[in-house]
């Protein structure tokens, strides 16, 4: 049956489609949000009019921002310099680190990074070490076995830092079994050197070690201040990057994120949060005051 009115209906539909699209606000595109979801419980995908994408690397998150394919990105960087894209807002949230500690009965207080690198490489190849390697001036410790205890796993955000500094970015098979890896690394004895993804509590009976870099005569303890200023080298940083800070959807997202108060919960997962006054100053630079 001939229906001459059908083309007219299709024409009206095609004309109305762009109008309907134009009347809808596109969803906010968020990448790298699993970095804060896994440790913070903050899930941007549950927000109305937003879509979250899990990224396999921070470089991809940067590329999505530069190419205009993402509005907001949570990006981890393990290098000192963070690439900046003109016109974007880059807000530093804080740091993860790789930390070394010993039992309070152990006299070690600092260790040169090159000696630490040699020790971890020896451990990787199954070579047993003794504490005289790090404590040559302590006769009672010379022949005591040195047990490397890993509380850090390959799933920790700071693992790439350990891999880059000590294993030259090679794939390390059976990372968790390189040294002694008890269920509770904080319960290790005085013969253990602990590799940790977070700063231990003060009442856990551990002494954090200062790391002495080549050419330096003094080392720096891991602390919020030393991580922030870069004096403690074994760190990676988490940034929030917004492509267009004037976009109303983006501003609503940032307002909810920074007003939630959940940033302080990051410390429960070993994250060292940037001081609130420093973060607020960064927000003010982009005319963001929450």
């Amino acid at each position: 049956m001939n229906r001459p009115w059908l083309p007219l209906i299709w024409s009206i539909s095609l004309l109305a489609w762009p109008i309907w699209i134009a009347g809808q606000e596109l969803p906010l595109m968020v990448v790298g949000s699993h970095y804060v979801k896994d440790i913070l419980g903050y899930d941007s995908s549950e927000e109305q009019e937003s879509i979250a994408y899990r990224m396999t690397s921070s470089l991809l998150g940067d590329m999505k921002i530069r190419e205009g394919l993402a509005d907001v990105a949570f990006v981890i960087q393990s290098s000192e310099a963070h690439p900046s894209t003109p016109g974007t807002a880059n807000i530093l949230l804080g740091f993860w680190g790789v930390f070394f500690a010993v039992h309070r009965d152990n006299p070690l207080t600092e260790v040169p990074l090159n000696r630490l690198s040699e020790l971890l490489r020896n451990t990787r190849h199954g070579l047993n070490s003794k504490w005289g390697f790090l404590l040559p001036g302590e006769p009672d410790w010379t022949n005591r076995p040195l047990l490397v205890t890993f509380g850090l796993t390959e799933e920790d955000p700071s693992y790439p830092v350990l891999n880059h500094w000590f294993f030259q970015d090679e794939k390390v098979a059976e990372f968790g079994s390189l040294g002694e890896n008890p269920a509770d690394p904080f319960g290790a004895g005085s013969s253990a050197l602990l590799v940790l993804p977070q700063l231990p509590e003060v009442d856990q009976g551990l002494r954090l070690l200062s790391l002495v870099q080549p050419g330096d005569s003094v080392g720096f303890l891991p602390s919020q201040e030393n991580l922030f200023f870069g004096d403690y080298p074994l760190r990676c940083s988490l940034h929030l990057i917004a492509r267009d800070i004037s976009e109303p959807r983006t501003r609503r997202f940032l307002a909810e994120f920074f007003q939630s108060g959940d940033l302080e919960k990051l410390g429960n997962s070993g994250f060292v949060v940037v001081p609130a006054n420093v973060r607020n100053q960064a927000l003010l630079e982009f005319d963001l005051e929450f």
Side-chain angles (χ1 to χ4, degrees):
M1 181 176 61
N2 187 18
R3 296 178 178 175
W5 41 269
L6 281 178
L8 179 60
I9 293 178
W10 280 109
S11 299
I12 294 174
S13 299
L14 290 174
L15 289 172
W17 176 254
I19 297 174
W20 182 84
I21 291 293
Q24 303 298 312
E25 189 174 64
L26 294 175
L28 192 74
M29 308 295 278
V30 183
V31 299
S33 55
H34 57 290
Y35 293 135
V36 290
K37 178 182 178 182
D38 292 348
I39 60 176
L40 188 62
Y42 182 87
D43 188 357
S44 62
S45 64
E46 294 180 353
E47 293 185 17
Q48 188 177 8
E49 300 175 346
S50 69
I51 300 177
Y53 288 97
R54 183 180 181 95
M55 304 302 294
T56 56
S57 75
S58 292
L59 178 60
L60 290 177
D62 285 330
M63 291 175 60
K64 289 280 190 182
I65 289 286
R66 288 198 300 268
E67 298 299 324
L69 301 176
D71 300 297
V72 178
F74 292 96
V75 177
I76 288 182
Q77 290 290 331
S78 56
S79 60
E80 290 298 322
H82 187 281
S84 60
T85 303
T88 62
N90 187 327
I91 303 166
L92 176 63
L93 300 180
F95 304 93
W96 281 282
V98 177
F99 312 117
F100 294 85
V102 294
H103 190 274
R104 59 187 172 192
D105 293 337
N106 191 311
L108 187 67
T109 58
E110 65 178 22
V111 58
L113 265 173
N114 55 356
R115 296 288 278 173
L116 196 54
S117 297
E118 184 179 353
L119 170 64
L120 293 182
R121 284 196 293 269
N122 289 344
T123 300
R124 176 186 176 182
H125 293 106
L127 301 177
N128 296 324
S129 301
K130 296 184 178 180
W131 273 103
F133 180 80
L134 296 178
L135 288 169
E138 297 284 341
D140 293 341
W141 289 77
T142 300
N143 296 314
R144 186 176 300 199
L146 192 161
L147 305 176
V148 180
T149 300
F150 288 92
L152 183 148
T153 70
E154 292 178 82
E155 287 71 39
D156 288 305
S158 51
Y159 167 75
V161 178
L162 180 80
N163 197 33
H164 173 73
W165 274 81
F166 302 107
F167 303 124
Q168 288 74 52
D169 293 323
E170 299 176 10
K171 176 62 179 177
V172 180
E174 299 181 2
F175 171 76
S177 63
L178 292 184
E180 183 181 317
N181 189 20
D184 178 15
F186 298 110
S190 58
S191 292
L193 174 69
L194 282 71
V195 186
L196 304 173
Q198 63 186 52
L199 297 172
E201 301 292 337
V202 294
D203 60 350
Q204 289 180 311
L206 299 178
R207 176 187 295 113
L208 285 166
L209 300 181
S210 299
L211 301 184
V212 184
Q213 299 193 63
D216 292 345
S217 58
V218 63
F220 289 90
L221 280 168
S223 66
Q224 180 167 328
E225 292 76 15
N226 288 341
L227 283 164
F228 177 74
F229 289 108
D231 296 320
Y232 186 82
L234 304 185
R235 66 173 191 170
C236 58
S237 55
L238 178 65
H239 301 252
L240 190 159
I241 304 176
R243 181 169 58 87
D244 182 2
I245 207 66
S246 65
E247 169 61 50
R249 297 169 304 150
T250 300
R251 297 184 75 86
R252 288 199 301 269
F253 178 91
L254 296 177
E256 180 171 338
F257 180 76
F258 285 105
Q259 287 176 339
S260 66
D262 287 340
L263 268 175
E264 307 311 319
K265 298 178 184 176
L266 287 167
N268 297 332
S269 296
F271 188 81
V272 176
V273 182
V274 167
N277 63 321
V278 175
R279 188 172 66 243
N280 291 338
Q281 182 61 41
L283 291 171
L284 286 173
E285 291 178 9
F286 299 106
D287 193 25
L288 298 170
E289 189 172 6
F290 305 129

